Amino acid sequence: VKIQRYKRDGDVSYSLGMAPTMELLLARPYLAERVFVSAEAARGEALARLEGLCAAHGVPVEVGEKPFHVLSPKGNCFAIGVFRKGETALRGFADGANHVVLVSPQDAGNVGTILRTAVGFGFLDVAVVLPGADPFDPKTVRASMGAIFRARVRRYESFEAYRREHPSHNLYPFMLGAHTPLHEASFDPPFALAFGNEASGLPPAFAGVGTPVVIPHAGDIDSLNLPVACGIALYAASSYAKLSRQAVS
Amino acid sequence: VKIQRYKRDGDVSYSLGMAPTMELLLARPYLAERVFVSAEAARGEALARLEGLCAAHGVPVEVGEKPFHVLSPKGNCFAIGVFRKGETALRGFADGANHVVLVSPQDAGNVGTILRTAVGFGFLDVAVVLPGADPFDPKTVRASMGAIFRARVRRYESFEAYRREHPSHNLYPFMLGAHTPLHEASFDPPFALAFGNEASGLPPAFAGVGTPVVIPHAGDIDSLNLPVACGIALYAASSYAKLSRQAVS
């Protein structure tokens, strides 16, 4: 089996590392095509568990260094999963599924960190509007720590394309100039929280869409880091934070 | 002037990029020793403003490529500030200053992102407990977007050394196993929020210190990314979030 560098337009991607590959096999074993194990991998409990999952799901395991040289030249990676991207539709309004919509994010690592946070707060449906970072890039998979395998992730050619598919979600665009501060926002489900890119945020037109929300912060900084801002917003909008409001009021 | 690669034990560090160098000159011009401008820098408003600040504060400006080759070989950097680290004490209990305490963080970029968030939510006193990433590393400065120049940052050889200097702050260690969920925590000022490292969090002994707090999340992920967790905690503990509680109750 010849391993090629990751291709954005291809059908497969790679989970680089023991933890994300384990998540692949736990959450979406039917997408796994093959697992490579480095000859340098420590023979321990984690590896035995990985091999056991592969056996249980009929996923072939190969030992070899070549895929690691091609896909992870910097080392520090002892297992690689080859998986079909298997992009599927997001759950919709009727399912009551809340969405996270990332509009043209630039950095694949940031998208992975946001997926990790989203899954942590129960947001399992994530739209990525292009142009932007590729949510199936191995860098995204790695930064997500495998959380990508717990979520439905779908790419859209434009925000309008997302909106045509999901026209009824209540929209909350996060923008610096918004009038509603996060602590006064009430999120009416099912809702979609939208975030812009790292450098410039959402396009100004989003000010006229849904209920724009701002995370208030001191003027000493221009803006929050994107995964940090998403983390705060997802925490505040999640059921965990709603428990807080009930407890206080 | 000969420019050397950054040394952790040295007295100077570097702000790489126009934005963090501007912050150096706006917030701590007295620490700036020199500014280098790339011959490739666009002659525009930002550069004129930077040069104006240098002139106002008597900071020499040199045009040249050599420092950029040494300090930023990957390019995409058009201004460099050389600054004395000027480490100072944190403000204390009597000042009512809340602290952020990072215990052995591993990644300099993460420390910078956390500094950016801390300054954004009004936490201007940050302790970094060693061993760990160097808060004055140029990678930290860059990830902070220059926010490091708005904060007091001090390194400590151990948590005990920090505690000897600041024995009276109410301590809130953030730990996965804690009993108090974030939405039930009330932060009694002046307080110190403590966070462990990226891989393993705080040492278990912190369970017996102050009021340990957990940010509840789904079991589908092992933990939140460190800067994301810090962001949520700092947002929740800041006066911005307290406004929220007042509004709700």
Side-chain angles (χ1 to χ4, degrees):
Chain A
V1 179
K2 201 179 159 201
I3 285 297
Q4 300 188 306
R5 286 180 58 180
Y6 174 71
K7 285 181 190 146
R8 191 174 173 132
D9 295 331
D11 293 327
V12 299
S13 183
Y14 307 103
S15 58
L16 306 179
M18 199 70 90
T21 303
M22 195 81 93
E23 282 297 294
L24 164 64
L25 290 161
L26 285 169
R28 302 260 166 94
Y30 46 86
L31 292 181
E33 294 200 333
R34 184 170 299 275
V35 166
F36 292 101
V37 173
S38 163
E40 293 169 25
R43 297 258 20 131
E45 204 177 315
L47 183 53
R49 202 164 156 236
L50 186 71
E51 289 174 339
L53 283 166
C54 287
H57 295 289
V59 177
V61 178
E62 283 181 39
V63 175
E65 291 314 295
K66 191 80 190 294
F68 294 87
H69 294 315
V70 175
L71 295 171
S72 178
K74 283 187 184 169
N76 194 27
C77 170
F78 301 104
I80 294 175
V82 183
F83 67 94
R84 292 192 306 287
K85 294 180 185 174
E87 194 167 356
T88 55
L90 306 187
R91 290 175 303 165
F93 193 86
D95 301 306
N98 299 320
H99 294 170
V100 175
V101 183
L102 304 178
V103 179
S104 297
Q106 289 173 348
D107 183 86
N110 281 348
V111 173
T113 301
I114 294 166
L115 284 169
R116 179 178 169 188
T117 311
V119 169
F121 291 129
F123 293 84
L124 302 179
D125 298 84
V126 178
V128 176
V129 173
L130 303 177
D134 173 7
F136 297 102
D137 190 293
K139 289 194 201 85
T140 306
V141 176
R142 188 156 206 180
S144 86
M145 303 285 276
I148 190 171
F149 302 118
R150 305 276 175 182
R152 290 162 207 81
V153 178
R154 185 154 198 175
R155 293 170 289 189
Y156 294 88
E157 288 309 313
S158 64
F159 181 74
E160 289 68 31
Y162 161 76
R163 202 57 179 151
R164 275 195 297 276
E165 205 169 285
H166 298 284
S168 305
H169 275 66
N170 294 306
L171 276 174
Y172 297 88
F174 279 75
M175 307 180 75
L176 285 177
H179 292 299
T180 304
L182 179 57
H183 56 260
E184 289 177 9
S186 55
F187 297 96
D188 189 14
F191 56 80
L193 309 180
F195 301 91
N197 83 10
E198 291 85 343
S200 51
L202 285 169
F206 278 84
V209 173
T211 307
V213 176
V214 62
I215 304 172
H217 61 71
D220 286 346
I221 62 166
D222 280 341
S223 66
L224 295 164
N225 162 274
L226 177 62
V228 168
C230 287
I232 293 167
L234 298 184
Y235 170 75
S238 75
S239 53
Y240 300 101
K242 277 177 206 136
L243 287 173
S244 162
R245 297 186 182 205
Q246 286 162 9
V248 171
S249 59
Chain B
V1 177
K2 199 179 161 200
I3 285 297
Q4 300 189 307
R5 285 179 60 180
Y6 174 70
K7 286 182 189 144
R8 191 174 172 132
D9 296 331
D11 294 327
V12 299
S13 183
Y14 307 104
S15 58
L16 306 180
M18 198 70 91
T21 303
M22 195 80 93
E23 282 298 292
L24 164 64
L25 290 161
L26 285 168
R28 301 262 166 94
Y30 46 87
L31 292 181
E33 293 201 333
R34 184 170 300 276
V35 166
F36 293 102
V37 173
S38 162
E40 292 168 25
R43 298 265 10 139
E45 205 177 313
L47 184 53
R49 201 164 155 236
L50 186 71
E51 288 174 339
L53 283 166
C54 287
H57 295 289
V59 177
V61 180
E62 283 180 40
V63 176
E65 292 313 295
K66 191 78 187 296
F68 294 87
H69 295 314
V70 174
L71 296 171
S72 179
K74 283 189 187 170
N76 196 24
C77 170
F78 301 105
I80 293 175
V82 183
F83 66 93
R84 292 192 307 284
K85 294 179 185 174
E87 194 167 357
T88 55
L90 306 187
R91 290 174 305 165
F93 192 87
D95 301 306
N98 299 321
H99 294 170
V100 174
V101 183
L102 303 178
V103 179
S104 297
Q106 289 174 347
D107 184 86
N110 281 348
V111 174
T113 301
I114 295 166
L115 284 169
R116 179 178 170 189
T117 311
V119 169
F121 291 129
F123 293 83
L124 302 179
D125 299 83
V126 178
V128 177
V129 174
L130 304 177
D134 173 7
F136 297 102
D137 190 293
K139 288 194 203 86
T140 307
V141 177
R142 188 156 205 180
S144 85
M145 303 286 276
I148 190 171
F149 302 118
R150 305 276 175 182
R152 291 163 206 81
V153 178
R154 186 156 199 174
R155 292 170 291 190
Y156 294 88
E157 288 309 314
S158 65
F159 181 75
E160 291 67 32
Y162 161 75
R163 201 58 179 151
R164 276 196 296 277
E165 206 170 284
H166 297 285
S168 305
H169 275 66
N170 295 306
L171 275 174
Y172 297 89
F174 279 75
M175 308 180 75
L176 285 177
H179 294 299
T180 304
L182 179 57
H183 56 260
E184 288 177 9
S186 55
F187 298 96
D188 189 14
F191 55 80
L193 310 180
F195 302 90
N197 83 11
E198 290 85 344
S200 51
L202 285 169
F206 277 85
V209 174
T211 307
V213 176
V214 62
I215 304 172
H217 60 72
D220 286 345
I221 62 166
D222 281 341
S223 66
L224 295 164
N225 162 274
L226 178 61
V228 168
C230 287
I232 293 167
L234 298 183
Y235 170 75
S238 74
S239 53
Y240 299 100
K242 278 179 204 133
L243 287 173
S244 160
R245 298 187 180 206
Q246 286 164 9
V248 171
S249 60

